[in-house]
Amino acid sequence: MSQTAVLTPRERIARLFSRQPVDRMPFFSGQGMVTLPVIQSLGLKFSQIHLSAEAMAEAARATAERYGFDAALVPYDMCTVPEAMGLGASFYEDTGGVLYPTISTKWGSPEEVIVPGDVMERGRLPIVSRAISLLRQGLGPEHAVGTWLLGPYTLAGQVVELDVLLKLTMKDRARVEGLLDRLTGLIIHIGRAYQQQGVDYISLREMGAGSDIISPRVFRDMVQPRLKRILDSWRPPRVLHICGATDPIIGYMNECGAEALSMDHKNDLAESQRKVGDSALLFGNLDAYRLLGQATLEEVRGKVLESARAGADAVWPGCDIWPELKEENLFALAEAVKGLHV
Amino acid sequence: MSEERKQEVLDRLKDGVINYDEEAVKEAAEEALEAGIDAYEAIMDGLTAGMVVVGDLYEKKDYFVPELLMCADALYVGLGVLNPHIKQESRGNTKGQVVIGTVQGDVHDVGKNLIKIMFEVAGFTVHDLGRDVPLEKFVEEQMKTDAEIVAISAMMTTTMMGMQKAVEMIRERNPNVGIMLGGAPLTQEVASLFGADGYAESAGNAVQEALKMLKNLREMRKK
């Protein structure tokens, strides 16, 4: 038996991040990872998995086990931190179907934003913390547990009206930078708390700062220093995720200090591999919506192979898995992973 | 007024939009009215011509979304001055009605607001439903107003699926309405799959799509 033949999922992920040999490509994610068939099998509604630690953890555990993911991941929505900061959220409990929570009313300017000192006690952050803890206990030592937080620019767009934020980015940069600094401290604090709960990896998602929204120069000057500060403050392993256009900023992303970079299907993975070399692992590039919602099973298998050949170091959806997916496609993707030896 | 003088004012309107200089646009718009330039001509050959250049700059990656928003603000200042002075006959046959909104579950309305302005510039009557709009509201508003176009926006992958249901619901009640989908997560393939007639890839491309429409309108007007 080879040295890498009997890895547990958790060992597989740990060895990947520490650049040790693995038996096959790890299969996990740093973006929303839960499906409607799993939620329904638990007798839950979509809105319920955001509102209790038990439901959140159970949905993550059942998703990992049903499809053979190497990790379970919480939370699922982007409102946990804004809510803990004092903003109200809509959960669409009476609407049915899959509607992610949204922030009902945002602050009108950066100066109005409140960053509470006791944020870990507020809103749903205690729920997320407890869900991590439940997963850590419930999954056993074999499975990995992951979590994620929004980056400061994306979080700023969640708490301040987006058009105000984007225009101030050009018109009055100091006001935006003041807010980004405050949010950077907050994100560091919450990430450390999640790490203390026992997560095996943490993903920093800065999807509001892709090159289809702000210029690479603005990214370099305003966003990159804060991403670096956050990642420097967390213990490894850390993933930096940006979706949308990332080709122009992949070099800047790589300077932020994460062990792995995650991109969606708009990224030219082979070109990113050439630019990044061995200095970071590359995840993603799989079109989660198309692959799991529209593609044929043959296409699913083909895309997984294509992504691996282009330089992906893990089978990792490039975006949130849409919960109402074609389940056979996710099973096919999981099956394809088994043949991917590194 | 000489042609040179008229062109100079129109160029200032155009440049003011391109350089997102609201004050310059306001001054040029007031000057256009004082000089007797037709308000609609000033909008189409000054302000809109500027936004066409802005669209090109976005496509070439010289401008990004913040710049687009500031240019749109400058355009809006100009519209505020010029719109009340438009003669009804100037709009010709270009007028129509659009129902626009951001799909339920999505509170991001930057792209929607940009394309709304473009429709307004073109002389459409815009029925803006806002953001986080329940799907049946699109159907109700279209039926109520008999709008020719329904434009629906989503900024996130996690919300775009609602669009498909909205398209189905609208089609069921009125098979002839034009449906335009826009937003960052969409592709042409997905928009077609959802049954849409029009597609814009992102906030910037939504503007591009509207600008193409405006370009056509301007060309039609010149013929």
Side-chain angles (χ1 to χ4, degrees):
Chain A
M1 187 182 291
S2 81
Q3 190 190 354
T4 55
V6 287
L7 296 179
T8 65
R10 195 178 183 197
E11 287 170 338
R12 189 173 292 122
I13 287 176
R15 289 175 71 100
L16 173 77
F17 279 118
S18 61
R19 307 297 187 96
Q20 293 175 275
V22 288
D23 50 352
R24 63 155 172 81
M25 267 196 165
F27 176 37
F28 66 132
S29 178
Q31 290 84 245
M33 197 169 74
V34 68
T35 74
L36 207 53
V38 164
I39 295 166
Q40 287 168 341
S41 74
L42 297 172
L44 296 170
K45 289 199 300 182
F46 186 70
S47 57
Q48 291 176 298
I49 63 169
H50 313 293
L51 293 167
S52 89
E54 288 72 19
M56 190 182 283
E58 191 55 13
R61 182 201 59 76
T63 299
E65 289 182 357
R66 185 174 177 105
Y67 306 106
F69 284 108
D70 289 312
L73 182 101
V74 288
Y76 309 109
D77 72 288
M78 297 196 294
C79 297
T80 55
V81 177
E83 211 187 336
M85 293 168 73
L87 295 172
S90 305
F91 291 91
Y92 307 100
E93 288 172 85
D94 300 325
T95 310
V98 177
L99 282 175
Y100 279 88
T102 55
I103 294 302
S104 323
T105 311
K106 300 180 182 185
W107 282 297
S109 72
E111 293 73 22
E112 292 171 53
V113 173
I114 296 164
V115 179
D118 59 345
V119 71
M120 290 309 297
E121 310 302 317
R122 289 168 168 264
R124 287 182 294 136
L125 293 191
I127 290 175
V128 180
S129 268
R130 183 164 152 70
I132 291 170
S133 184
L134 288 172
L135 276 172
R136 189 63 289 147
Q137 295 157 21
L139 274 173
E142 301 83 20
H143 280 79
V145 178
T147 193
W148 58 273
L149 282 161
L150 294 179
Y153 198 79
T154 309
L155 180 57
Q158 285 285 303
V159 298
V160 173
E161 289 297 341
L162 196 54
D163 62 332
V164 172
L165 176 78
L166 289 166
K167 285 186 272 192
L168 283 178
T169 297
M170 298 293 294
K171 285 178 173 174
D172 201 344
R173 190 170 144 171
R175 291 175 66 193
V176 175
E177 294 205 278
L179 174 62
L180 294 182
D181 283 336
R182 294 165 69 210
L183 296 178
T184 294
L186 180 73
I187 294 162
I188 290 171
H189 177 67
I190 299 169
R192 282 176 172 163
Y194 288 169
Q195 289 192 318
Q196 278 172 9
Q197 293 297 323
V199 291
D200 296 283
Y201 64 95
I202 185 165
S203 181
L204 184 59
R205 299 173 63 180
E206 190 63 304
M207 56 276 216
S211 301
D212 33 16
I213 300 176
I214 58 171
S215 72
R217 184 179 53 78
V218 170
F219 179 84
R220 182 198 63 199
D221 295 346
M222 288 182 74
V223 182
Q224 190 203 35
R226 276 107 188 159
L227 295 178
K228 194 168 183 327
R229 203 183 310 157
I230 293 166
L231 291 164
D232 284 347
S233 303
W234 291 345
R235 63 175 159 73
R238 303 148 300 185
V239 181
L240 173 60
H241 170 83
I242 299 180
C243 46
T246 47
D247 288 335
I249 54 170
I250 190 75
Y252 297 143
M253 287 173 68
N254 192 32
E255 290 166 3
C256 291
E259 282 68 36
L261 305 177
S262 160
M263 296 79 62
D264 73 8
H265 57 284
K266 291 182 182 169
N267 181 269
D268 181 342
L269 196 59
E271 181 62 15
S272 292
Q273 171 68 56
R274 195 187 63 74
K275 287 177 182 167
V276 169
D278 287 335
S279 57
L281 299 166
L282 294 180
F283 295 169
N285 174 258
L286 292 173
D287 184 344
Y289 169 71
R290 168 148 172 66
L291 218 54
L292 301 177
Q294 305 296 333
T296 63
L297 299 184
E298 205 47 51
E299 281 176 274
V300 172
R301 295 180 197 110
K303 283 287 176 191
V304 171
L305 274 176
E306 194 182 300
S307 162
R309 285 183 189 132
D313 293 295
V315 177
W316 168 288
C319 196
D320 300 80
I321 291 173
W322 177 250
E324 289 177 296
L325 75 176
K326 280 163 70 181
E327 204 177 20
E328 63 269 29
N329 285 27
L330 186 49
F331 284 125
L333 198 150
E335 200 56 36
V337 174
K338 290 178 184 166
L340 288 175
H341 298 284
V342 181
Chain B
M1 183 182 46
S2 69
E3 270 306 306
E4 288 80 18
R5 168 87 178 111
K6 181 177 168 184
Q7 194 55 50
E8 187 256 330
V9 175
L10 292 175
D11 285 347
R12 280 169 49 206
L13 283 168
K14 178 179 164 185
D15 292 343
V17 169
I18 296 167
N19 298 318
Y20 37 90
D21 187 338
E22 294 178 26
E23 196 52 42
V25 169
K26 185 168 181 283
E27 278 175 24
E30 285 166 352
E31 214 171 307
L33 292 176
E34 282 164 23
I37 298 172
D38 179 78
Y40 190 68
E41 196 176 350
I43 290 172
M44 298 308 278
D45 295 340
L47 299 176
T48 305
M51 277 308 275
V52 170
V53 176
V54 170
D56 290 341
L57 290 169
Y58 179 82
E59 198 156 84
K60 286 193 285 185
K61 299 293 174 201
D62 285 333
Y63 273 12
F64 295 83
V65 177
E67 288 91 337
L68 285 184
L69 291 172
M70 289 194 296
C71 293
D73 276 357
L75 174 97
Y76 227 70
V77 167
L79 284 179
V81 176
L82 295 167
N83 248 343
H85 300 275
I86 293 178
K87 294 172 194 138
Q88 199 50 46
E89 62 270 25
S90 301
R91 294 194 194 274
N93 297 321
T94 60
K95 202 171 163 189
Q97 290 194 87
V98 185
V99 170
I100 193 166
T102 302
V103 75
Q104 188 170 36
D106 206 323
V107 294
H108 301 91
D109 57 2
V110 165
K112 186 268 292 175
N113 289 341
L114 279 170
I115 201 154
K116 176 189 166 188
I117 294 171
M118 296 302 121
F119 277 121
E120 285 176 344
V121 168
F124 282 81
T125 301
V126 180
H127 305 281
D128 184 4
L129 298 176
R131 56 193 184 185
D132 194 14
V133 179
L135 304 185
E136 59 274 16
K137 188 83 182 136
F138 286 102
V139 182
E140 285 168 18
E141 191 69 10
Q142 192 280 324
M143 297 298 285
K144 194 172 91 184
T145 60
D146 199 26
E148 295 89 341
I149 298 172
V150 179
I152 310 174
S153 162
M155 195 171 166
M156 299 185 297
T157 315
T158 50
T159 54
M160 72 173 183
M161 291 302 293
M163 289 175 150
Q164 185 169 21
K165 288 174 193 158
V167 172
E168 285 166 11
M169 288 165 74
I170 295 163
R171 286 262 182 267
E172 198 181 303
R173 297 290 292 277
N174 184 353
N176 298 320
V177 70
I179 303 175
M180 183 175 184
L181 302 182
L186 262 83
T187 61
Q188 176 66 62
E189 187 189 3
V190 171
S192 303
L193 191 81
F194 286 2
D197 304 295
Y199 156 70
E201 187 184 345
S202 65
N205 281 15
V207 176
Q208 282 292 92
E209 287 296 305
L211 289 173
K212 276 181 201 163
M213 191 167 65
L214 287 179
K215 250 182 182 171
N216 292 339
L217 287 169
R218 292 177 69 224
E219 279 160 18
M220 279 164 58
R221 195 174 135 260
K222 281 177 183 167
K223 282 175 188 171

